[in-house]
């Protein structure tokens, strides 16, 4: 499955860094530096799972660009990436068709997590997610580290999958219970900790699963 993301950012260093990070996570990326170039990319007929727009570009405000396309039925999820940090600017971005908003300077892991989440809303995500030396194959339910196939239980895979699609984000035990266990079979928090302990043992060193005190876990 080819999950393609459009990145529109006029700062060449940021554009390259974002594109490199997304490609490392197995996304296919088209990266351009202007609204005119974005229009050309969209005119090719490529199917994008998500688009990342810097708000202020050399040829205009991306909010207006997105809003105009929304009025014509364009439904691709959009994340605005911008230095505009006021509440009014955020509201304006959402009112013009944005689905998410990240303020510069930003943590790359957070941006990756938010793009992954938007792609999942659209029904797409990378077939294989690579992070912290791991390869998580969602279609085959397989995990490799250093090219070595690991033997994980269904529950261990479910927890790793949930963490891997939110790299760098703290995930609570309650969230893990909600998404990795059946509704009629909810465990105690110490059961979650026990499964995570087994998962860590199988993943080996260095341990990619970090304990977040008072919250839960994250993939570091």
């Amino acid at each position: 499955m080819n999950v393609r993301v459009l990145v529109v950012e006029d700062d060449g260093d940021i554009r390259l860094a974002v594109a490199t990070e997304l490609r490392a996570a197995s996304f296919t990326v088209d990266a351009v530096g202007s609204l005119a170039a974005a229009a050309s990319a969209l005119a090719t007929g490529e199917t994008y799972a998500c688009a990342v727009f810097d708000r202020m570009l050399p040829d205009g405000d991306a909010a207006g660009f997105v809003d105009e396309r929304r009025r014509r039925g364009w439904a691709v999820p959009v994340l605005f990436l911008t230095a505009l940090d006021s509440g009014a600017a955020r509201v304006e971005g959402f009112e013009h068709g944005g689905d998410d908003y990240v303020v510069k300077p930003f943590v790359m892991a957070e941006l990756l997590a938010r793009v992954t989440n938007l792609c999942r809303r659209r029904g797409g995500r990378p077939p294989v997610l690579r992070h912290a030396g791991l390869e998580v194959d969602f279609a085959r339910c397989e995990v490799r580290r250093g090219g070595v196939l690991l033997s994980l239980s269904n529950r261990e895979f479910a927890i790793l999958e949930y963490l891997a699609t939110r790299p760098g984000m703290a995930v609570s035990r309650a969230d893990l219970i909600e998404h990795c266990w059946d509704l009629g079979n909810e465990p105690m928090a110490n059961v979650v900790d026990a499964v995570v302990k087994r998962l860590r043992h199988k993943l080996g060193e260095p341990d990619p699963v970090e304990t977040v005190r008072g919250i839960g876990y994250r993939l570091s």
Side-chain angles (χ1 to χ4, degrees):
M1 178 172 55
N2 180 25
V3 182
R4 186 177 293 270
V5 176
L6 176 64
V7 175
V8 188
E9 166 62 64
D10 64 315
D11 185 306
D13 291 337
I14 296 177
R15 184 170 66 246
L16 177 60
V18 171
T20 299
E21 185 77 9
L22 292 176
R23 286 169 182 148
S26 299
F27 290 98
T28 299
V29 181
D30 294 335
V32 299
S34 67
L35 294 177
S40 296
L42 294 172
T44 64
E46 289 286 0
T47 300
Y48 292 101
C50 175
V52 179
F53 280 86
D54 182 22
R55 272 288 303 269
M56 305 310 298
L57 292 158
D59 49 350
D61 186 343
F65 179 91
V66 171
D67 184 62
E68 189 272 332
R69 277 159 177 72
R70 289 284 192 247
R71 295 175 188 276
R72 290 190 278 137
W74 190 57
V76 173
V78 168
L79 182 148
F80 285 124
L81 182 63
T82 179
L84 301 174
D85 191 21
S86 69
R90 290 171 182 260
V91 170
E92 182 182 35
F94 289 124
E95 287 178 342
H96 284 75
D99 297 278
D100 205 348
Y101 211 97
V102 172
V103 176
K104 300 176 183 177
F106 56 90
V107 177
M108 195 64 74
E110 179 186 359
L111 178 66
L112 174 59
R114 290 179 180 274
V115 168
T116 300
N117 185 53
L118 289 178
C119 289
R120 291 180 69 193
R121 288 190 203 174
R122 185 62 186 264
R125 67 176 171 188
V128 180
L129 194 151
R130 297 177 176 86
H131 183 78
L134 297 170
E135 292 184 5
V136 183
D137 189 322
F138 299 109
R140 297 180 179 178
C141 294
E142 293 180 349
V143 177
R144 287 176 170 79
R145 191 167 198 185
V148 177
L149 181 63
L150 306 180
S151 179
L152 303 185
S153 70
N154 291 339
R155 198 77 67 201
E156 291 161 356
F157 181 85
I159 288 177
L160 180 60
E161 176 185 22
Y162 194 72
L163 294 174
T165 55
R166 295 156 182 79
M169 297 179 64
V171 175
S172 70
R173 292 172 178 83
D175 282 340
L176 291 175
I177 290 172
E178 179 181 353
H179 291 90
C180 303
W181 270 265
D182 297 333
L183 291 177
N185 186 28
E186 294 187 0
M188 301 294 291
N190 62 343
V191 176
V192 177
D193 294 340
V195 176
V196 171
K197 182 178 180 179
R198 293 198 301 269
L199 173 62
R200 281 171 152 165
H201 177 72
K202 293 180 179 181
L203 294 178
E205 298 293 339
D207 185 359
V209 180
E210 178 183 350
T211 299
V212 182
R213 186 179 297 275
I215 300 176
Y217 301 96
R218 68 179 164 212
L219 204 62
S220 60

